[in-house]
């Protein structure tokens, strides 16, 4: 059974600083790993998806890495802005094929101070 | 709007009442998922459908919960005899069977008094 953990639960940084968010998972035979953003009281917005065959994925200021051997993924957000304040969640499918239910970490709540 | 929609967005009810939520997935997505999220936690899987077939249910889905997806389009999640512990955000997501990304709706926030 896949278990996903995110530490720390909360993080506060000054504007302009780079953000580093951590995600750990127990089953290294993952199909992929996804990062989501959630604003207070809202649904989830998909940010990046890394396939098991990839080591990293980039989109604008966001970069996500995947290390299956150590069971870790890291989301980097460069030059943080107050608009980046949100909760960031990582998730992995429970099965070995696409379209499976997701197992989520508890999230990291990020505050970027102006 | 071509995204996933959910209705209502907020629901306040008294303990013991029945509530029903609706989810409209992205058109032609054949998989539909329900998750529940409590404050400060990540979402937890409840159930999912492929077309109209309910393929898996979590142990979190007690016999007071029932979900349907008639004709493989929209889905409803009903909670009977609500309890205060049912207070949570109920999230719906949809995807193609072979598509990795699940697209989430805005959620329905339930408060049971």
């Amino acid at each position: 059974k896949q278990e996903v953990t995110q530490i720390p639960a909360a993080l506060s940084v000054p504007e302009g600083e780079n953000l580093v968010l951590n995600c750990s998972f127990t089953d290294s035979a993952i199909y992929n790993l996804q990062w989501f953003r959630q604003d207070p009281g809202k649904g989830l917005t998909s940010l990046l998806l890394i396939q098991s065959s990839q080591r990293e994925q980039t989109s604008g200021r966001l970069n996500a890495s995947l290390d299956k051997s150590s069971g870790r993924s890291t989301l980097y957000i460069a030059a943080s802005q107050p608009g980046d304040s949100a909760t960031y969640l990582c998730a992995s499918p429970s099965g070995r094929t696409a379209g499976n239910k997701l197992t989520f970490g508890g999230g990291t709540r990020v505050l970027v101070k102006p | 709007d071509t995204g996933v929609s959910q209705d209502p967005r907020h629901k306040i009810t008294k303990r013991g009442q029945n509530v029903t939520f609706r989810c409209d997935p992205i058109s032609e997505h054949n998989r539909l998922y329900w998750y529940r999220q409590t404050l400060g936690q990540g979402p937890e899987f409840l159930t999912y459908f492929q077309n109209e077939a309910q393929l898996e249910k979590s142990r979190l889905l007690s016999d007071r919960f029932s979900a349907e997806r008639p004709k493989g389009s929209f889905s409803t999640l009903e909670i009977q005899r609500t309890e205060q512990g049912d207070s949570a955000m109920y999230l719906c997501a949809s995807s193609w069977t072979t598509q990795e990304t699940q697209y989430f709706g805005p959620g329905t926030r339930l408060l049971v008094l």
Side-chain angles (χ1 to χ4, degrees):
Chain A
K1 178 186 174 185
Q2 179 72 281
E3 294 182 7
V4 181
T5 305
Q6 292 182 252
I7 297 174
L11 188 60
S12 179
V13 298
E15 181 177 2
E17 190 167 300
N18 295 334
L19 278 164
V20 180
L21 305 178
N22 299 308
C23 174
S24 300
F25 48 89
T26 55
D27 184 358
S28 61
I30 60 172
Y31 186 74
N32 60 52
L33 189 128
Q34 305 176 50
W35 284 93
F36 294 87
R37 169 182 171 142
Q38 186 174 33
D39 293 291
K42 306 291 186 181
L44 278 64
T45 300
S46 179
L47 295 175
L48 289 169
L49 183 149
I50 313 176
Q51 300 288 357
S52 61
S53 59
Q54 297 176 313
R55 299 196 68 175
E56 66 177 66
Q57 189 69 255
T58 298
S59 176
R61 294 185 295 113
L62 276 60
N63 175 278
S65 65
L66 177 64
D67 184 344
K68 292 190 298 179
S69 62
S70 65
R72 293 181 181 180
S73 177
T74 303
L75 178 66
Y76 300 89
I77 303 178
S80 61
Q81 305 168 359
D84 295 327
S85 298
T87 296
Y88 292 84
L89 296 147
C90 64
S92 176
S94 298
R96 305 291 171 84
T97 58
N100 279 279
K101 61 186 180 184
L102 295 174
T103 298
F104 285 85
T108 296
R109 190 172 67 254
V110 171
L111 176 62
V112 180
K113 297 179 178 179
Chain B
D1 186 355
T2 57
V4 178
S5 61
Q6 293 187 245
D7 184 71
R9 295 291 305 279
H10 304 275
K11 179 71 176 179
I12 301 174
T13 190
K14 294 181 180 179
R15 188 176 53 187
Q17 298 294 305
N18 298 342
V19 295
T20 300
F21 309 142
R22 176 179 170 126
C23 171
D24 286 272
I26 292 174
S27 179
E28 298 180 358
H29 274 188
N30 52 11
R31 282 211 175 190
L32 186 148
Y33 310 79
W34 285 99
Y35 295 86
R36 181 172 71 184
Q37 184 179 28
T38 53
L39 203 60
Q41 304 296 317
E44 295 176 290
F45 169 78
L46 291 178
T47 188
Y48 81 87
F49 294 82
Q50 181 164 318
N51 299 313
E52 66 275 10
Q54 189 173 17
L55 296 186
E56 186 173 350
K57 294 192 294 185
S58 163
R59 285 175 292 179
L60 293 174
L61 217 64
S62 74
D63 56 6
R64 296 185 298 106
F65 288 71
S66 62
E68 295 181 341
R69 193 183 182 196
K71 301 180 182 178
S73 55
F74 71 92
S75 175
T76 58
L77 178 67
E78 180 182 17
I79 309 174
Q80 296 182 329
R81 306 180 304 280
T82 52
E83 302 173 356
Q84 288 183 327
D86 297 330
S87 296
M89 173 80 90
Y90 290 83
L91 294 162
C92 175
S94 69
S95 74
W96 283 105
T97 304
T98 56
Q99 179 186 62
E100 292 89 349
T101 301
Q102 293 181 19
Y103 296 86
F104 281 78
T108 294
R109 182 169 294 283
L110 173 67
L111 178 61
V112 181
L113 300 176

